[in-house]
Amino acid sequence: MQSHTFSLLTQALNDLQQWKASFGAFSLDETLLVDSYKSAQVFETLTQRLKGNYPFHHPVYAGQMLKSPHEVAWAAYALASSINPNNHALDGGPPSSEMEKEIMPMLADFFGYGDTFLGHLTSSGTIGNLEALWISRKIHPHKKIAFSKNAHYTHGRMCEVLGMDSVTIPINYHGEFEFSTVEPAEIGTLVVTLGTTGLGEVEPLDQALEWAQAHDIRIHIDSAYGGFFRSLKDSDMIDGTSWKLMQEADSIVVDPHKHGLQPYGCGAVLFKDPAVGRFYKHDSPYTYFTSDELHLGEISLECSRAGATAVAFWATLQCFPLKEKEGYGPILAKCRQAALVGFDLISNSEKLTAYKKPELDILTYFPISESTKNVSQISELSRKVFQKGMDDQSFFLSLYKVPAGDFAHFHPDYVADEENVTILRSVLMRPEHADFIRELIRRIESAI
Ligand SMILES: *Cc1c(COP(=O)(O)O)cnc(C)c1O
């Protein structure tokens, strides 16, 4: 943490303490007192145990979709959670609820929805998607949810929760949906993933919209991981085609706790048509009493939600606007650059081969086997390199399983002697990766 943020947090906590004391002195109940020796011991143990984490804060960590939040976010979170407001309803935390109501138009504007929309923060991408699918069921009660095999696994699970049938639409090797395999009349909503969790692939929203609009099918965009890449839609860093069309979709999910610099517990769902609010309406005798406005709790499937989440994201958005040239854009551009540089280095490497060209900031690759051309050899080498990096603490990657058929399509020199191939995967989601990628690839190569 930069000492500046640390002193801001200390100052702010002191300031809040004065506000807390302004209601009159009272002493903490004796049942809540902790022996100072005991708490010191607990914190010592805690610190030791937390060091058992992988270094999510550091660019040597180039594995799963995990990173530490921005310090502004967690300092703001810590500050707010010392009060613990609940964004279920305005009364649960007026300031943090207001902040959530200020955040949502910023997100709506970012995704192109304009002024009329309905949206709120959720505790995760899964819950955001669940809400979007739940609304789909309200609108098309007897129809199915369709998604590709690259969609997040929770969509299938959420369909089960909702008691809905789902159908998987194949994606061909050009990355297009094969709509001819499904009966459009049976489908109520198509989920389009902009930034798949595995490879960071962007499904063709243009193709999906054309098909869906012709058959009166809703479109839900799952951009839990990829959403913030929309900040680069007009740049030459990514193919902006799908990103530029997001406002055409009926609903959108994004996870600020992935690329939005937030601590966990921060997802968001937005609906283009605010009239879907009617499906959320309920009447609870004990929660609403001060406002005639639609409470956040009235447009959310969840009840209690941490007000601190909204406070943290609000504070972050003040420092980092959702723009291409300022705030989020330059951060995402560095991540994307890391993937492009990494891909170049690997393409020229004698020890590594890229599995596919990255579309966003997820790089997949594998060690070249000199002895055989069997895919089982690649799996073995990948696991070895993965383990060696962790043992030496010099790099942290993730493993990724690809069906051998897909693998052989992109790398026809290899023999599919196993059903799946295990390769290496790096989510380069820290802007520091743009510089560190050279060192990272060098370290990986020397571990082979
Ligand atoms: C991460 C992810 C999810 C699930 O979000 P959680 O916040 O982990 O619940 C859903 N869809 C996509 C595309 C994701 O990357």
Side-chain angles (χ1 to χ4, degrees):
M1 186 176 207
Q2 292 172 29
S3 57
H4 177 63
T5 314
F6 190 70
S7 64
L8 283 180
L9 175 59
T10 319
Q11 243 176 52
L13 281 169
N14 279 335
D15 199 0
L16 269 190
Q17 195 49 45
Q18 284 174 25
W19 167 76
K20 288 177 189 171
S22 72
F23 296 92
F26 73 100
S27 43
L28 198 66
D29 190 79
E30 59 183 15
T31 55
L32 297 172
L33 296 175
V34 186
D35 176 67
S36 60
Y37 175 72
K38 180 72 196 168
S39 55
Q41 235 182 1
V42 168
F43 266 77
E44 200 185 308
T45 309
L46 204 55
T47 315
Q48 264 332 98
R49 291 190 67 169
L50 284 172
K51 290 178 190 168
N53 277 296
Y54 301 112
F56 305 131
H57 63 289
H58 197 284
V60 289
Y61 188 84
Q64 306 280 9
M65 208 170 270
L66 293 160
K67 71 168 175 179
S68 303
H70 194 281
E71 59 190 35
V72 163
W74 77 251
Y77 193 102
L79 185 67
S81 66
S82 76
I83 299 170
N84 207 22
N86 186 335
N87 274 21
H88 162 58
L90 269 180
D91 314 315
S96 51
S97 297
E98 281 159 19
M99 287 181 206
E100 181 165 347
K101 289 187 165 190
E102 286 167 32
I103 290 169
M104 296 318 295
M106 293 187 220
L107 282 180
D109 182 55
F110 177 61
F111 289 122
Y113 271 179
D115 301 337
T116 57
F117 72 97
L118 192 78
H120 59 89
L121 299 179
T122 60
S123 56
S124 68
T126 304
I127 298 296
N129 283 324
L130 171 66
E131 290 198 23
L133 299 190
W134 175 61
I135 292 295
S136 302
R137 192 186 69 176
K138 295 276 190 188
I139 293 172
H140 294 299
H142 306 295
K143 293 191 174 184
K144 297 178 185 173
I145 303 288
F147 41 79
S148 84
K149 72 171 182 4
N150 299 325
H152 198 264
Y153 73 94
T154 49
H155 288 286
R157 190 182 275 181
M158 290 304 147
C159 285
E160 277 185 37
V161 171
L162 292 165
M164 299 175 86
D165 288 330
S166 62
V167 51
T168 303
I169 302 186
I171 292 266
N172 65 27
Y173 286 124
H174 302 292
E176 298 154 345
F177 288 99
E178 303 227 308
F179 290 125
S180 59
T181 63
V182 290
E183 174 48 62
E186 290 180 353
I187 294 167
T189 297
L190 169 68
V191 177
V192 179
T193 308
L194 300 191
T196 58
T197 317
L199 301 177
E201 292 182 318
V202 182
E203 293 184 338
L205 185 56
D206 47 348
Q207 185 208 5
L209 279 165
E210 196 183 314
W211 180 76
Q213 284 166 355
H215 298 101
D216 192 26
I217 291 170
R218 285 174 69 80
I219 289 221
H220 169 61
I221 294 181
D222 181 1
S223 61
Y225 145 69
F228 290 100
F229 278 100
R230 181 167 151 110
S231 57
L232 303 181
K233 71 182 192 314
D234 300 316
S235 75
D236 55 9
M237 301 287 295
I238 58 170
D239 177 350
T241 315
S242 291
W243 303 103
K244 286 179 186 163
L245 294 167
M246 290 180 84
Q247 62 278 2
E248 305 284 320
D250 296 286
S251 50
I252 299 173
V253 156
V254 65
D255 261 351
H257 68 205
K258 280 182 177 153
H259 251 309
L261 310 172
Q262 299 309 296
Y264 282 115
C266 193
V269 62
L270 294 100
F271 295 94
K272 185 178 183 164
D273 178 8
V276 299
R278 70 190 183 278
F279 297 120
Y280 284 93
K281 269 215 158 292
H282 64 104
D283 198 13
S284 143
Y286 42 83
T287 41
Y288 317 119
F289 43 88
T290 58
S291 169
D292 295 334
E293 255 188 277
L294 214 63
H295 283 284
L296 287 165
E298 283 174 302
I299 53 160
S300 167
L301 206 54
E302 296 172 85
C303 183
S304 294
R305 287 176 308 120
T309 302
V311 170
F313 194 25
W314 185 89
T316 310
L317 287 168
Q318 304 306 303
C319 303
F320 298 93
L322 291 162
K323 294 184 176 164
E324 183 189 335
K325 302 281 185 204
E326 192 192 343
Y328 278 84
I331 300 172
L332 276 287
K334 283 278 179 86
C335 300
R336 172 65 180 146
Q337 192 194 333
L340 289 172
V341 172
F343 178 73
D344 248 21
L345 291 169
I346 291 172
S347 302
N348 293 313
S349 169
E350 284 169 10
K351 297 192 156 183
L352 293 166
T353 301
Y355 172 58
K356 265 181 157 182
K357 187 163 195 222
E359 289 185 46
L360 298 174
D361 60 358
I362 301 179
L363 201 56
T364 43
Y365 48 98
F366 55 89
I368 292 170
S369 154
E370 292 185 344
S371 51
T372 76
K373 284 285 172 195
N374 289 338
V375 296
S376 58
Q377 184 70 17
I378 289 173
S379 300
E380 199 183 312
L381 283 173
S382 296
R383 283 190 212 104
K384 249 194 203 154
V385 172
F386 167 79
Q387 194 57 46
K388 177 115 177 44
M390 288 212 287
D391 291 346
D392 301 348
Q393 301 223 336
S394 60
F395 55 83
F396 297 79
L397 313 175
S398 63
L399 293 171
Y400 188 70
K401 228 189 267 178
V402 195
D406 288 357
F407 187 92
H409 174 82
F410 296 110
H411 302 279
D413 306 354
Y414 286 88
V415 180
D417 65 331
E418 264 182 354
E419 216 172 291
N420 291 303
V421 194
T422 302
I423 60 173
L424 296 164
R425 169 172 168 272
S426 287
V427 183
L428 300 167
M429 65 192 313
R430 289 156 199 73
E432 294 85 0
H433 280 137
D435 281 336
F436 194 75
I437 187 73
R438 290 176 183 82
E439 173 64 15
L440 182 75
I441 301 289
R442 196 193 60 72
R443 290 186 190 184
I444 297 170
E445 284 176 333
S446 65
I448 295 171

